[in-house]
Structure formats: structure tokens, C-alpha cells
Amino acid sequence: MNHWLVKTEPNDWSWADHCKAPKRTTCWDGVRNAQAQLNLKAMAKGDKVFIYHTGKEKQIVGLATVTKTFYPDPTEETGRMGMVDLRAEKAVPSPVTLAQVKADKRFADFLLVRNSRLSVMPVGTKHWAVLCKMAGAAS
DNA sequence: GCCAACGTTGGC
DNA sequence: GCCAACGTTGGC
């Protein structure tokens, strides 16, 4: 199983919105970056995903699961962009902030730090385990 | 196919 | 609100 992190601007679509969605599931649309799209395509059903809030919060707030793999976004004109479905599992007991991550040497090569503009990224096994621990969540 | 100009994202 | 980083666009 692979692990991922996706970003969202809470004023636009927040973790709370996700939890209120039918079956706590939503299509993760709107990703328009090539590298992020490749990461979406690489997701498998059952993969675990951290949900990260950008903007004022800048912290990992919840855990989600991929329930549907990559499929085309019918509303997107070129037909090339797609999305996956994510189900909100549970909020993490203690959100992990970007400041915490940046302050930890173990995350020096983490994409969240290295490429702040990437909105969908893989999370290595070790990073995942550390982040789960920091968040007080079971890995 | 290169690269300058422009737009967007997201941290500060 | 600013600006650095990065992607994309369009003229050549």
C-alpha cells in the first residue's frame, strides 16, 4: 500500500466539508498540475491519504482512504484531467503543522517542504510512520 | 523547440 | 499584502 498527502484550501473545501459529504466521500477534483495528476493516477484503492489544510492553518488535519482510482473529470474541457474519490476516515488527534515538519531534520527531503506548490504528493513509508506518530494516529 | 512574459500558488 | 517558486503560454 502506498501513502499520499493532498492539500486543500479550507475556505474552498475543508476537512469538515469532507466529513459532511454523503458517505464521507468526495471526488478530489480540481487538480490541474501535471505532476499532481501523475500522483493521482498512481493511487490504488485502499491507499491512505493525509489531508492537509493550506492557507492560515498549514497542518495535517485528517486521514482519508482512496475508494475509487483515477477517472476522467467530465467537467474538464480537454478531457485529460482526472480525479480519484476519497473517503474521510478520521480526524487526527493532534494535527501536525508545517512548522513541526520543517523543524524536523527527518523531513528535509519531504516534498511538502521541498516543493511547497505541489498539491498531491507521495509520502514515503518512514515519513508516514513518523507523521502518524506525531499526529497521534495509528499507522 | 526555446525562452520571455505572465499567472498562480502558498508560505511568510 | 508581498513575493519566491514554479507552471504555462505564446511569439519567434
Side-chain angles (χ1 to χ4, degrees):
Chain A
M1 185 197 296
N2 289 311
H3 300 101
W4 311 91
L5 182 146
V6 299
K7 296 181 180 176
T8 184
E9 165 56 52
N11 289 329
D12 194 42
W13 178 263
S14 70
W15 170 256
D17 292 328
H18 200 158
C19 291
K20 278 183 257 170
K23 298 183 193 170
R24 294 167 74 89
T25 300
T26 189
C27 56
W28 206 258
D29 62 357
V31 174
R32 292 291 176 269
N33 169 279
Q35 202 185 338
Q37 279 280 317
L38 285 175
N39 290 329
L40 283 181
K41 278 183 192 170
M43 288 184 184
K45 198 172 175 178
D47 281 357
K48 301 286 186 204
V49 183
F50 276 131
I51 306 289
Y52 174 91
H53 277 175
T54 60
K56 212 179 169 187
E57 293 189 33
K58 296 186 286 292
Q59 59 186 7
I60 293 167
V61 292
L63 275 163
T65 302
V66 178
T67 55
K68 186 174 180 183
T69 52
F70 190 89
Y71 60 104
D73 179 351
T75 66
E76 198 274 321
E77 318 80 49
T78 70
R80 282 180 210 142
M81 298 293 175
M83 55 202 178
V84 298
D85 283 359
L86 297 181
R87 183 178 66 225
E89 297 299 340
K90 52 177 127 182
V92 295
S94 69
V96 181
T97 66
L98 179 63
Q100 281 178 270
V101 170
K102 286 190 129 171
D104 193 320
K105 280 185 199 162
R106 289 173 292 183
F107 292 108
D109 62 346
F110 188 30
L111 283 166
L112 190 67
V113 177
R114 292 274 299 277
N115 183 359
S116 65
R117 297 192 52 192
L118 186 61
S119 59
V120 181
M121 69 192 74
V123 181
T125 307
K126 283 183 186 171
H127 283 161
W128 183 266
V130 175
L131 287 170
C132 284
K133 202 167 183 180
M134 290 167 83
S139 58

